[in-house]
Amino acid sequence: MTTSGTTTTSGTPLIALRDIGKRYGNVKALGGVTLDVHAGQITCVLGDNGAGKSTLIKIVAGLHQHDEGAFAVEGEETRLGSPREALDRGIATVYQDLAVVPLMPVWRNFFLGSEIRKGRGPFARLDVSAMRETTHRELLRMGIDLRDVDQPIGTLSGGQRQCVAIARAVHFGAKVLVLDEPTAALGVKQSGVVLKYVAAARDAGLGVVLITHNPHHAYLVGDRFVLLKRGTMAGSHAKDEIALDDLTRQMAGGSELEQLTHELAR
């Protein structure tokens, strides 16, 4: 692993991974991965397909447990047993294929699984007005101005749906927000909108983990960059320690890319 510098952030990280490893049978999917996530910072995890990004997400989200290394949440070493346990510890994961019900209104998706109710016992019912008002208010607080939270969420653009998911995580008390390739299927303009709200989540005090294979998007918002290659760390850099061109070159394989360029030139 090559590392150019150390983090200057003080205080206990919201989550800290030390030499994390994961095996599936005889296949080593991840090994020796170390990263810290601090409040008010965006840590970008970059790598091509097969680099180990998905495995890392599953460990942080509580879907899988690590086989090697140590995983600490706010200084307490832990092994997350489920996504619900991760949520209870303040870790919210927004996947690329968003878990939304397209024909349901925006407000219903916002509160899906955490509905507000009024009344008791057999007289309990959904507090629709409270959920509508809260959804609109929380979206506005993140800078998202939807005219009508009653519209089906499936009518929103991919970027808007990502932004609703980010606002939902902030509202329900997430301390760490893990974003799985949020701009992968979006155009240039929509990608910019999503990155704006990723930065808004950081400014709201969350620790953000942005998983991406796009170094340009990462460099726009990232504070630290962790590079993965074939399941191992290929580098860890603070933003002021590396230029975009160098980040892109390291992610693309450096000498391997140069060799391929020469071969194509011939």
Side-chain angles (χ1 to χ4, degrees), residues 150-244:
D150 278 307
Q151 67 188 101
I153 199 167
T155 64
L156 301 183
S157 68
Q160 287 174 317
R161 289 196 296 272
Q162 286 280 356
C163 297
V164 170
I166 292 169
R168 183 183 192 275
V170 172
H171 172 69
F172 284 103
K175 297 177 182 178
V176 175
L177 179 62
V178 184
L179 298 164
D180 173 26
E181 299 274 9
T183 61
L186 304 180
V188 174
K189 185 175 180 180
Q190 286 192 39
S191 294
V193 170
V194 171
L195 292 175
K196 173 184 172 183
Y197 297 119
V198 172
R202 173 194 60 197
D203 295 342
L206 278 71
V208 181
V209 181
L210 175 62
I211 311 290
T212 182
H213 64 269
N214 191 318
H216 295 272
H217 291 171
Y219 205 79
L220 281 171
V221 295
D223 298 296
R224 174 163 285 277
F225 311 102
V226 172
L227 295 158
L228 296 184
K229 185 177 180 182
R230 296 173 189 167
T232 61
M233 284 186 70
S236 178
H237 311 275
K239 188 168 187 174
D240 59 4
E241 298 167 347
I242 190 167
L244 175 58

Side-chain angles (χ1 to χ4, degrees), residues 51-114:
K53 303 190 302 296
S54 294
T55 302
L56 183 64
I57 289 174
K58 289 172 183 174
I59 291 171
V60 175
L63 278 167
H64 293 172
Q65 292 190 338
H66 54 286
D67 299 319
E68 303 167 0
F71 181 5
V73 179
E74 295 185 279
E76 179 185 347
E77 192 165 335
T78 188
R79 297 179 72 86
L80 297 174
S82 67
R84 170 49 61 184
E85 189 178 338
L87 276 171
D88 291 342
R89 299 295 296 271
I91 302 170
T93 303
V94 177
Y95 292 99
Q96 185 177 338
D97 50 343
L98 295 172
V100 297
V101 183
L103 295 179
M104 278 188 178
V106 172
W107 67 265
R108 192 70 193 270
N109 275 276
F110 192 92
F111 279 95
L112 198 61
S114 303

